[in-house]
Amino acid sequence: MRGSAWLTALVVVGWGVGCGHTEDAAMKPERPKWMPPEGTCPKGALVQMERLGLKPGDKVPVIVDAIQDHPGPARYNYSFVIALPRDDGEKKLPGARIGGRLYVTKHRVFGRYDRVFLPESGAMSVPFCGILLDARWDRDGEGLIAYPSPMKGFSVVQDNTGVILVVDQYP
């Protein structure tokens, strides 16, 4: 009798755990295929960002790609980039460069930034965790609003500026 009571309890608990997991998965909408992958921040990123005076929710205005530091439209493809923090009166990360990867779709350019190159460290970098927002339309969601380019694999944006939102995990 004791054995069957334990078995019944185990089945009920197992069934309850299984159902809870199914409900969570069902409630979460399916991620569109054109979105960049969800992910965790690099190990040590939160500690390093705190040392730099940054916390999740902070915004750093940037030139999205140092190579395209010119006024006017910019053309991006799936690639590694170095963003340049801009002087907006409240200078964050003076002299630093923020490294990350751009993910390009026909209508958005997403960015996942994972390292900061500090002026005093030369080529060495420290972990970082940030995503790219459009400076003009930051309520519209993640990424820069883009337009298809005649060049395969590229998208065009109106200008080369954006905002990196400091996060504690990639959405």
Side-chain angles (χ1 to χ4, degrees), residues 32-36 76 103-110 134 136-137 140-149 153-158:
K33 291 181 179 166
W34 47 265
M35 293 277 298
Y76 300 121
Y103 297 83
V104 176
T105 69
K106 290 180 180 174
H107 65 285
R108 290 271 183 185
V109 174
F110 297 94
D134 195 310
R136 300 158 307 196
W137 314 105
D140 192 37
E142 183 185 347
L144 302 176
I145 295 172
Y147 306 95
S149 169
F154 284 80
S155 284
V156 177
V157 297
Q158 289 181 359

Side-chain angles (χ1 to χ4, degrees), residues 58-169:
D58 286 349
K59 294 180 179 179
V60 181
V62 295
I63 302 294
V64 176
D65 181 7
I67 294 173
Q68 298 189 61
D69 184 8
H70 56 75
R75 186 177 18 233
Y76 300 121
N77 66 341
Y78 175 82
S79 62
F80 179 80
V81 294
I82 300 289
L84 305 172
R86 293 184 315 164
D87 186 7
D88 66 341
E90 182 187 329
K91 187 77 167 167
K92 293 180 182 171
L93 303 173
R97 306 290 185 254
I98 306 171
R101 179 156 301 282
L102 296 181
Y103 297 83
V104 176
T105 69
K106 290 180 180 174
H107 65 285
R108 290 271 183 185
V109 174
F110 297 94
R112 295 284 188 268
Y113 294 88
D114 61 2
R115 67 196 81 178
V116 173
F117 299 92
L118 300 169
E120 63 272 9
S121 65
M124 296 291 292
S125 65
V126 295
F128 178 81
C129 198
I131 61 171
L132 183 62
L133 300 178
D134 195 310
R136 300 158 307 196
W137 314 105
D138 65 352
R139 292 186 184 170
D140 192 37
E142 183 185 347
L144 302 176
I145 295 172
Y147 306 95
S149 169
M151 295 175 60
K152 185 176 171 89
F154 284 80
S155 284
V156 177
V157 297
Q158 289 181 359
D159 68 36
N160 62 355
T161 62
V163 172
I164 294 178
L165 175 66
V166 177
V167 296
D168 56 7
Q169 91 172 33

Side-chain angles (χ1 to χ4, degrees), residues 27-49:
M27 291 177 70
K28 188 174 182 182
E30 186 175 329
R31 188 174 183 83
K33 291 181 179 166
W34 47 265
M35 293 277 298
E38 294 179 19
T40 57
C41 293
K43 186 176 181 178
L46 293 175
V47 171
Q48 291 297 333
M49 291 186 306

Side-chain angles (χ1 to χ4, degrees), residues 1-8:
M1 186 112 132
R2 283 186 182 182
S4 65
W6 274 104
L7 182 59
T8 302

